[in-house]
Amino acid sequence: MPSLLLGASVFVLLTVALGLFAILRRSADVDRLMAVQLLGTGGVAILLLLAVATETPPVMDVAVMLALFAAFAAVAFVRDASGASSEAKGE
């Protein structure tokens, strides 16, 4: 069972790497946010698979923190984007 989980984590890692390559080739800020979200989601999935495969529960805590940081990054981006658009309108 651990070898199946390790194989799944490698598959997710390769999929995330291909997705990041495709997203980062674009230059829009929204695409970069999507790259951060993809990295956060994929990283959480990989860490959870590795935690179960190696039977190390503290890695699950790291996965939860990574998910939290990815959510904060999205909120910071939206707040920055909405602040920039409201300043451009003169509000």
Side-chain angles (χ1 to χ4, degrees):
M1 185 66 163
S3 62
L4 176 67
L5 293 174
L6 290 174
S9 66
V10 169
F11 176 73
V12 171
L13 178 64
L14 292 175
T15 305
V16 168
L18 287 173
L20 283 175
F21 178 73
I23 291 172
L24 291 177
R25 288 180 48 188
R26 302 177 190 141
S27 63
D29 289 337
V30 175
D31 293 330
R32 292 190 178 143
L33 173 68
M34 292 304 298
V36 169
Q37 289 299 312
L38 176 65
L39 187 61
T41 304
V44 167
I46 292 167
L47 286 173
L48 289 175
L49 286 168
L50 290 175
V52 173
T54 60
E55 298 177 359
T56 51
V59 176
M60 289 185 189
D61 295 336
V62 175
V64 170
M65 291 301 295
L66 181 59
L68 186 64
F69 289 149
F72 283 154
V75 169
F77 176 80
V78 170
R79 286 191 60 158
D80 182 53
S82 66
S85 66
S86 65
E87 288 176 8
K89 293 179 183 177
E91 294 177 4

